Amino acid sequence: MNTRRPFSKRKIIILSTVILFIGLVISMGYQAMEPFRHLRITIYNQSDYDLSNISARVSSGIDSSNTNKEGKIYTLKKGVPSGEQVKFAPQLRLSGEGSIYLEFTDSRGETYNKTVCGYTEYLSGNSYVTVTNETITVKEECM
C-alpha cells in the first residue's frame, strides 16, 4: 500500500512562489519594452459625436510638402462611435526625424488635425487622444 502523498504543502508553496516570481519578471520585462514597440494611437471618444475619416500622417522636414508618398498616410478603416475607444498601430514609414498628425471628422462635419507625436525618430511609443465636446487632449509618449 502506497501512503506517500504526491505533493506536500511545502512543495506546493515553493512551486507557487516560483511561478509567481517568474510571472512578475515577465510582466516587468514587458512593461519595460512597451515604449520601444511600434507606435500605437489610442482614441477615447468621450464626445457626443461619432468620429470618422481617421488618418495618421507623417511629416518630416525633408518631404513635408509631399504627403502622398506610400507609407506617409495611414487611414483607419473604421470610425469611433461616441463613448467608444479604439487602439491602432498606424503602418507608417519615416526616414530620420518627424512628427505624426491625426486627422478626423466628427458627425457634424467638423474636421480636426492634432499632433499626436511632436517629435519621433523611430515611430515607437504611445499616444493617447481624448476627444470631448469642448477639447481634444493628447498625451504623447513617443520616441
Side-chain angles (χ1 to χ4, degrees):
M1 186 189 252
N2 188 0
T3 59
R4 196 175 114 179
R5 295 187 333 193
F7 291 106
S8 69
K9 287 183 181 181
R10 180 181 170 154
K11 286 181 183 178
I12 291 174
I13 290 172
I14 291 172
L15 183 61
S16 298
T17 303
V18 168
I19 290 172
L20 183 63
F21 179 74
I22 290 171
L24 183 63
V25 169
I26 290 171
S27 173
M28 289 173 58
Y30 179 77
Q31 290 174 0
M33 294 304 294
E34 182 76 13
F36 301 103
R37 293 178 56 184
H38 191 75
L39 175 68
R40 283 169 296 164
I41 299 172
T42 304
I43 302 173
Y44 301 100
N45 185 4
Q46 298 175 354
S47 73
D48 296 330
Y49 311 103
D50 296 341
L51 307 179
S52 60
N53 301 324
I54 302 167
S55 62
R57 174 174 53 92
V58 170
S59 178
S60 63
I62 298 170
D63 57 0
S64 60
S65 62
N66 186 2
T67 57
N68 292 328
K69 285 186 173 180
E70 185 179 334
K72 296 291 182 183
I73 297 177
Y74 175 83
T75 303
L76 189 63
K77 295 187 183 352
K78 61 181 181 176
V80 184
S82 175
E84 300 283 323
Q85 77 176 32
V86 68
K87 180 187 256 186
F88 66 101
Q91 301 302 308
L92 300 169
R93 283 188 272 169
L94 176 66
S95 299
E97 55 193 47
S99 302
I100 310 300
Y101 298 92
L102 185 69
E103 187 173 300
F104 58 89
T105 305
D106 67 18
S107 54
R108 298 175 297 179
E110 301 270 337
T111 300
Y112 301 91
N113 191 347
K114 284 301 232 182
T115 303
V116 293
C117 197
Y119 176 83
T120 184
E121 291 182 31
Y122 305 107
L123 289 174
S124 63
N126 295 293
S127 284
Y128 305 96
V129 180
T130 303
V131 180
T132 65
N133 289 339
E134 295 82 28
T135 61
I136 300 169
T137 58
V138 177
K139 180 182 174 194
E140 298 180 32
E141 297 173 354
C142 303
M143 297 185 79

